[in-house]
């Protein structure tokens, strides 16, 4: 409660903060957190299956991040790397260079967010290659700044101007398109036709891909599809950019999500989980691109030593605690449990994912696959009431997204499944009041 005004934390938030940056699904007000648990301002402990959209990659208040941040702040090496070098930023860059493929091992650009990193890459590939065009995917989310929205295809950004040289292509979706094989073939044929008829491939600077299309609906691409895309890109000298912002750095059960695709990107973009809850992003790629020109793309506190120290601690912890392997194990268990729920709940149309990047698509009926949009919003609302934090994504707003901390344990995974089971039961039985949703626009 606020001193004197008698308002709750959530009500004060509603009165003071702009809804332009809200994506709210229920009235969650957080006072603290520990591991995979959030502590509400009412003292309630909630199991966090989102980890702030994957940003709290090690969970909340991880000791390694806390220690690194405290150390960096105890004698702060400036606030930025714009006009001076600092050790955490240099160490973070050196570590990132060590984990990307040879072809990307040139330079590291450090930023605050997936948005500024993707925007910078989009500008740099065009400026450095002299090719005016970019290809990305319908449903893709590459950020929320003008330049990153300009290369995205997510419907939440309808009406936002696109880059003049942008072409959006279909992301293969096995559930929507009647199986992985057909989906992959159709999507590849679309790109080949595009190159043959409309978009001269030698005018294309880069193709941006999400190794799992996350905000578009946690869509896992068919095996082999991106290898064919890579071959086409190599043939025409088009740079492959892997946007690992949400699903990279251990989340899929491998260090890099692109490893599942059998490809080697030229440029790798990290954000969200890289900072373990602090704002830091990175774009790593060939010198000719990522070292294009001095003062080409910077913001004042880029290369902040405190945020960079957090990034180093995250990379260290993922490696030392073998969190990619852990995510693979716990993810396998979680997906099996969710498949079990699918047997019981007709609302569940599809369960998919890799490691701890999991989507559960809710449908009106399994044959027609019509999106169960309202039921999805009601399910996350009810789950919150029961003690589970999970949001939804998808071009039709009907995919529950699970991106829990990489440190999630099997008992915690089981506890989350029990809560989701109850939420789905309550929604199907009509026990959740749709009027509760009116204050929550979601997306
Ligand atoms: C979230 C996201 C971004 C943008 O990151 P911000 O931190 O919101 O700027 C870019 N790409 C992908 C794949 C994302 O999921």
């Amino acid at each position: 409660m606020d001193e004197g005004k008698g308002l709750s934390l959530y009500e004060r938030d509603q009165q003071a903060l702009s809804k332009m940056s809200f994506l709210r699904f229920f009235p969650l007000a957080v006072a603290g957190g520990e591991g995979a648990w959030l502590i509400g301002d009412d003292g309630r402990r909630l199991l966090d299956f989102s980890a702030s959209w994957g940003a709290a990659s090690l969970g909340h208040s991880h000791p390694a991040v806390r220690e690194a941040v405290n150390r960096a702040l105890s004698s702060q090496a400036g606030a930025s790397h714009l006009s001076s070098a600092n050790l955490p930023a240099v160490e973070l860059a050196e570590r990132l260079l060590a984990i990307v493929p040879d072809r990307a091992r040139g330079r590291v650009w450090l930023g605050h967010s997936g948005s500024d990193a993707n925007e910078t890459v989009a500008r740099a590939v065009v400026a450095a290659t002299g090719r005016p065009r970019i290809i990305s995917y319908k449903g893709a989310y590459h950020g929320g700044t003008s330049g990153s929205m300009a290369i995205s295809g997510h419907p939440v950004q309808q009406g936002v101007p696109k880059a003049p040289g942008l072409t959006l292509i279909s992301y293969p979706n096995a559930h929507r398109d009647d199986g992985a094989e057909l989906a992959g073939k159709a999507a590849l044929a679309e790109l080949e036709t595009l190159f043959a008829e409309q978009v001269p491939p030698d005018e294309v600077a880069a193709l941006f891909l999400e190794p799992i299309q996350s905000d578009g609906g946690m869509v896992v691409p068919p095996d082999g599809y991106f290898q064919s895309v890579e071959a086409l890109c190599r043939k025409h000298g088009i740079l492959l950019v892997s946007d690992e912002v949400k699903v990279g750095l251990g989340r899929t059960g491998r260090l890099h999500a692109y490893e599942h695709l059998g490809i080697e990107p030229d440029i790798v973009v990290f954000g969200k989980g890289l900072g373990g809850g602090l704002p830091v992003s990175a774009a790593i790629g060939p010198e000719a691109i990522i070292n294009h020109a001095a003062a080409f793309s910077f913001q004042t506190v880029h290369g902040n030593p405190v945020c960079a120290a957090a990034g180093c601690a995250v990379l260290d912890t993922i490696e030392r605690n073998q969190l990619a392997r852990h995510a693979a194990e716990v993810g396998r268990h979680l997906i099996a449990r969710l498949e079990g729920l699918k047997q019981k709940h007709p609302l569940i149309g599809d369960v998919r994912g890799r490691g701890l990047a999991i989507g559960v698509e809710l449908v009106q009926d399994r044959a027609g696959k019509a999106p169960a949009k309202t039921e999805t919003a009601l399910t996350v609302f009810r789950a919150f009431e029961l003690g589970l934090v999970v949001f939804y994504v998808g071009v039709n707003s009907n995919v529950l997204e699970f991106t829990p901390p990489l440190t999630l344990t099997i008992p915690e995974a089981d506890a989350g499944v029990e809560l989701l089971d109850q939420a789905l039961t309550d929604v199907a039985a009509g026990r959740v009041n749709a009027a509760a949703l009116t204050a929550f626009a979601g997306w």
Side-chain angles (χ1 to χ4, degrees), residues 113-115 118 141-143 210 215 243 245-246 272:
S113 66
S115 305
N118 280 317
Y141 189 91
H142 295 299
E210 289 175 85
D215 290 329
D243 180 348
V245 169
K246 193 185 273 181
K272 291 195 173 90

Side-chain angles (χ1 to χ4, degrees), residues 53 112-118 141-145 148 210-212 214-215 243-247 269 271-272 281 401:
W53 300 95
H112 297 318
S113 66
S115 305
D116 65 8
N118 280 317
Y141 189 91
H142 295 299
T145 58
S148 56
E210 289 175 85
I212 294 177
S214 325
D215 290 329
D243 180 348
E244 301 269 324
V245 169
K246 193 185 273 181
V247 298
V269 179
K272 291 195 173 90
S281 64
E401 182 186 74

Side-chain angles (χ1 to χ4, degrees), residues 354-406:
R354 287 185 157 131
L356 290 172
I358 301 171
V360 174
E361 180 159 348
L362 302 189
V363 295
Q364 309 278 359
D365 68 296
R366 285 187 185 158
K369 303 174 198 169
K373 190 173 164 168
T374 304
E375 291 82 353
T376 306
L378 289 169
T379 300
V380 300
F381 190 89
R382 182 63 183 146
F384 160 74
E385 291 183 322
L386 295 169
L388 175 69
V389 173
V390 56
F391 307 134
Y392 61 81
V393 294
V395 294
N396 296 310
S397 309
N398 70 324
V399 180
L400 306 173
E401 182 186 74
F402 299 85
T403 54
L406 302 180

Side-chain angles (χ1 to χ4, degrees), residues 66-133:
R66 226 162 51 198
E67 199 272 330
V69 165
N70 285 341
R71 188 156 23 90
L73 270 173
S74 69
S75 174
Q76 195 175 337
S80 159
H81 76 164
L82 296 195
S83 307
S84 54
N86 72 73
L87 187 59
V90 170
E91 280 189 352
L92 179 58
E94 289 171 349
R95 276 162 209 242
L96 290 169
L97 286 169
I99 61 172
V100 295
D102 285 348
R103 57 187 319 122
R105 194 164 299 132
R107 292 293 170 113
V108 177
W109 178 96
L110 291 180
H112 297 318
S113 66
S115 305
D116 65 8
N118 280 317
E119 175 163 336
T120 295
V121 173
R123 290 179 54 222
V125 292
V126 169
T129 64
R131 295 179 173 205
R133 295 176 183 270

Side-chain angles (χ1 to χ4, degrees), residues 7 17 20 57 93 133 230 257 260 314 375:
L7 297 176
L17 285 153
M20 289 201 292
S57 48
R133 295 176 183 270
E230 179 183 43
H260 295 277
V314 167
E375 291 82 353

